């Protein structure tokens, strides 16, 4: 049952939602960020914690978002308003929808800059601009690429325009059509790159690095990074998944779809590691070179091996496509809201959103050059956007949604929408009521700088806290529910 009287567009094909949501999830987070944070936080042990975070927090939150989107059949603002009204609850909760929509928009404002790097490097590879460069020259090229506002602005504007062209064409003709060839194309290119890695000589070292578990290398900082990254990589609490969920046909299983998307996202992140690290190791480079890993170390490594330029080009085409399929999902919430509430056509809504986005992203882009000194509490505008969205808005939005689902909304709504057997439903409810909130609270405790939660050392305590909170929560939940709903 939906609460919206107006018919809403739905994905055309059986794979429409899975491809679009996987396209949203798989992006710079998987190919740029995951490999370098894995490098920084110690390889296999980090990967294991990351997988646990995806399962314990990512999957339940994603199921909740899709259910909210499909139930409310609208942008995050409209969908939440309807679902909340259906349960007869206080409208303050619909602020969550506004925050999610804003969060997606703000992420895109800095995401287009990094996606612009990818397009710029693709061009450099194609035009031979990186050929024969030394380590120092690679760093200088990366610096020069950022130092010119015209250059950096050109590439981020290109990404903004490409995003808006696709979104402007609509859900089926724009988003669904583009992901239906970009996603398979991307996976194919990734497979070719892994094949190349197998012959590069560094493959065994890469497998060892990614999959050998050494508990001694687990750090609390790494665990928090894994938890935060689980949100970012699954595009949670940013309006993207919720809005895509609003186009999901009523008969599709939300649980199965969510598991497919989370699995595909994780597999692609690991595949990216298997494509990048062999090339890095084959050249005796360090896996922990940070954000410059794929823009400095990798192009350098590609140069040193036969057919490296060709595979380098392939790599940056793949990265650019991954970035685009994510960026289109970040504005869909805003565009959908504008169309539904302001009577705009898709095209006008997209270009209007694109214009504002361009202004904000230009400010973010200037952080790398003329605005390098414009800092507030030691952070540039670019860093502020990243910090506010990943450390605060995404976890806060996630927390709000699971609390909404776990304690506030009528449980029948979710029973109907999720359609799970009683056992699985109870497990989902336990996750959204206790496990996900506790995980998210740890991010806040850390972000507030109160204390670093040393859960690597104290996991029996954490388990005890979880049990205690669950018991307490179940005891007082009717009262808690009344308070939250008032
Ligand atoms: N999941 C994307 C990535 O890993 O690159 C980033 C992202 C997309 C975040 C869409 C938020 C969003 F709404």
């Amino acid at each position: 049952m939906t609460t919206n009287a107006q018919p809403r567009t739905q994905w055309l094909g059986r794979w429409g939602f899975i491809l679009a949501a996987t396209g949203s999830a798989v992006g710079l987070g998987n190919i740029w960020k995951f490999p370098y944070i894995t490098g920084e936080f110690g390889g296999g042990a980090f990967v294991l914690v990351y997988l646990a975070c995806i399962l314990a927090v990512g999957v339940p939150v994603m199921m909740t978002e899709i259910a909210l989107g499909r139930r409310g059949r609208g942008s995050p603002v409209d969908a939440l308003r309807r679902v909340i009204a259906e349960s007869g609850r206080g409208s303050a909760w619909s602020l969550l929808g506004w925050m999610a929509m804003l969060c997606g928009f703000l992420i895109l404002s800095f995401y287009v800059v990094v996606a612009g790097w990818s397009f710029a490097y693709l061009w450099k590879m194609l035009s031979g601009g990186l050929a024969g460069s030394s380590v120092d020259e690679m760093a200088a090229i990366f610096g020069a690429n950022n130092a010119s506002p015209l250059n950096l602005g050109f590439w981020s504007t290109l990404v903004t325009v490409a995003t808006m062209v696709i979104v402007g064409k609509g859900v089926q003709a724009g988003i669904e059509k583009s992901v239906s060839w970009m996603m398979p194309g991307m996976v194919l290119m990734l497979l070719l790159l892994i094949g190349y890695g197998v012959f590069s000589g560094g493959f065994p070292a890469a497998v060892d690095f990614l999959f050998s578990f050494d508990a001694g290398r687990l750090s609390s900082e790494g665990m928090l990074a894994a938890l935060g990254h689980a949100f970012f990589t699954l595009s949670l609490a940013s309006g993207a998944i919720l809005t895509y969920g609003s186009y999901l046909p009523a008969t599709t299983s939300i649980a199965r779809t969510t598991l497919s998307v989370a699995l595909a996202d994780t597999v692609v992140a690991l595949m990216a590691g298997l494509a990048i690290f062999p090339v890095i190791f084959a050249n005796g480079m360090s896996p922990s070179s940070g954000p410059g890993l794929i823009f400095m170390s990798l192009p350098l490594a590609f140069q040193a091996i036969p057919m490296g330029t060709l595979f380098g080009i392939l790599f940056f085409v793949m990265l650019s496509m991954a970035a685009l399929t994510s960026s289109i999902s970040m504005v869909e919430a805003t565009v959908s809201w504008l169309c539904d509430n302001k009577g705009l056509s898709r095209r006008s809504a997209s270009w209007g959103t694109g214009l504002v986005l361009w202004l904000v992203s230009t400010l973010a882009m200037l952080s790398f050059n003329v605005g390098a000194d414009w800092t507030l509490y030691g952070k540039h505008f670019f860093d502020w956007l990243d910090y506010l969205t990943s450390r605060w808005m995404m976890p806060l939005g996630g927390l709000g949604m699971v609390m909404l689902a776990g304690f506030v909304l009528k449980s029948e709504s979710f029973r109907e929408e999720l359609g799970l057997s009683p056992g699985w439903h109870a497990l989902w409810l336990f996750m959204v009521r206790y496990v996900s909130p506790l995980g998210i609270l740890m991010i806040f405790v850390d972000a507030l700088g109160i204390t670093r939660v040393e859960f690597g050392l104290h996991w029996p305590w954490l388990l005890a806290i979880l049990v205690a909170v669950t018991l307490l929560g179940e005891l007082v939940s009717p009262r808690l529910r009344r308070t939250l709903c008032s």
Side-chain angles (χ1 to χ4, degrees):
M1 185 201 95
T2 67
T3 46
N4 186 7
Q6 282 192 346
R8 189 161 174 84
T9 313
Q10 294 194 2
W11 302 106
L12 257 183
R14 227 164 72 82
W15 291 94
F17 176 81
I18 295 202
L19 285 178
T22 308
S24 171
V26 170
L28 296 165
N30 303 59
I31 301 163
W32 171 60
K33 199 162 178 193
F34 178 75
Y36 89 73
I37 54 175
T38 304
E40 275 179 358
F41 294 115
F46 174 82
V47 172
L48 202 75
V49 175
Y50 167 77
L51 294 181
C53 294
I54 294 277
L55 271 181
V57 181
V59 167
V61 176
M62 192 185 244
M63 282 173 67
T64 307
E65 273 202 49
I66 301 175
L68 288 170
R70 186 166 76 181
R71 188 83 180 169
R73 293 276 183 220
S75 67
V77 174
D78 297 325
L80 283 180
R81 191 172 31 77
R82 285 189 195 113
V83 177
I84 290 162
E86 180 198 34
S87 287
R89 304 306 188 207
S91 58
W93 283 97
S94 52
L95 280 177
L96 272 177
W98 287 104
M99 189 167 76
M101 205 161 89
L102 182 68
C103 183
F105 184 87
L106 293 180
I107 294 176
L108 189 55
S109 314
F110 70 90
Y111 202 84
V112 291
V113 181
V114 184
W117 290 347
S118 174
F119 279 78
Y121 268 71
L122 172 60
W123 174 246
K124 285 186 206 302
M125 278 274 174
L126 280 169
S127 61
L130 300 174
S133 308
S134 64
V135 179
D136 291 343
E137 283 163 347
M138 277 296 178
I141 291 174
F142 190 61
N145 185 56
N146 293 341
S148 155
L150 269 184
N151 175 63
L152 202 55
F154 169 78
W155 293 109
S156 48
T157 305
L158 189 74
V159 179
T160 307
V161 170
T163 304
M164 294 312 166
V165 167
I166 298 175
V167 175
K169 287 190 174 162
V171 177
Q172 294 170 347
I175 300 176
E176 188 166 356
K177 202 162 167 199
S178 65
V179 294
S180 69
W181 63 268
M182 281 205 264
M183 291 311 287
M186 219 198 77
V187 171
L188 190 71
M189 282 186 258
L190 205 46
L191 285 173
L192 285 173
L193 283 157
I194 295 177
Y196 180 68
V198 171
F199 294 106
S200 69
F203 199 72
V207 172
D208 190 48
F209 179 70
L210 280 171
F211 300 110
S212 68
F213 180 76
D214 175 2
R217 303 191 65 179
L218 275 181
S219 69
S220 303
E221 202 187 348
M223 293 193 185
L224 283 166
L227 201 53
H229 189 61
F231 265 89
F232 188 79
T233 193
L234 292 180
S235 311
L236 300 177
S238 331
I241 294 297
L242 194 151
T243 313
Y244 278 3
S246 72
Y247 307 126
L248 191 68
T251 48
T252 310
S253 154
I254 291 180
R256 230 171 285 143
T257 317
T258 302
L259 285 175
S260 315
V261 175
L263 185 73
D265 181 70
T266 308
V267 168
V268 171
L270 293 173
M271 279 167 76
L274 286 178
I276 292 168
F277 288 124
V279 183
I280 297 290
F281 287 130
N283 283 273
M285 293 174 170
S286 159
S288 49
S289 55
L293 182 70
I294 63 167
F295 293 109
M296 287 183 269
S297 312
L298 196 67
L300 194 68
F302 270 131
Q303 280 192 38
I305 27 191
M307 295 206 299
T309 306
L310 180 68
F311 282 92
I313 292 172
L314 211 59
F315 179 82
F316 285 108
V317 172
M318 178 207 61
L319 184 64
S320 306
M321 289 211 283
L324 258 187
T325 54
S326 294
S327 50
I328 53 181
S329 71
M330 290 180 220
V331 274
E332 178 54 26
T334 308
V335 171
S336 157
W337 181 82
L338 283 172
C339 293
D340 294 346
N341 293 278
K342 301 287 163 203
L344 296 181
S345 68
R346 284 246 4 149
R347 194 152 302 192
S348 324
S350 304
W351 289 113
T353 310
L355 186 69
V356 182
L357 180 77
W358 182 81
L359 291 172
V360 184
S361 68
T362 298
L363 281 179
M365 176 277 289
L366 291 179
S367 301
F368 289 94
N369 36 69
V370 294
D373 296 331
W374 308 342
T375 57
L376 187 68
Y377 295 108
K379 282 193 205 326
H380 296 130
F381 188 57
F382 181 97
D383 296 338
W384 271 111
L385 289 173
D386 182 15
Y387 173 77
L388 280 178
T389 51
S390 14
R391 296 289 292 227
W392 293 100
M393 294 174 84
M394 282 183 141
L396 202 61
L399 184 64
M401 292 208 208
V402 288
M403 295 309 273
L404 195 63
F407 293 105
V408 181
L409 296 177
K410 279 191 188 143
S411 51
E412 301 86 74
S413 311
F414 283 94
R415 251 180 243 288
E416 274 178 31
E417 223 43 68
L418 295 173
L420 295 169
S421 67
W424 285 114
H425 192 85
L427 180 65
W428 168 80
L429 200 58
F430 170 65
M431 290 298 196
V432 296
R433 278 188 172 177
Y434 306 110
V435 180
S436 310
L438 265 184
I440 297 170
L441 282 175
M442 276 186 227
I443 303 185
F444 289 137
V445 170
D446 186 67
L448 284 170
I450 303 169
T451 170
R452 163 128 296 145
V453 191
E454 296 289 344
F455 41 156
L457 300 174
H458 300 319
W459 67 266
W461 278 108
L462 278 179
L463 212 61
I465 292 175
L466 179 63
V467 172
V469 170
T470 307
L471 290 176
L472 200 72
E474 289 305 300
L475 266 175
V476 299
S477 76
R479 184 175 310 166
L480 183 66
R481 205 169 309 160
R482 249 176 280 132
T483 318
L484 288 171
C485 300
S486 60

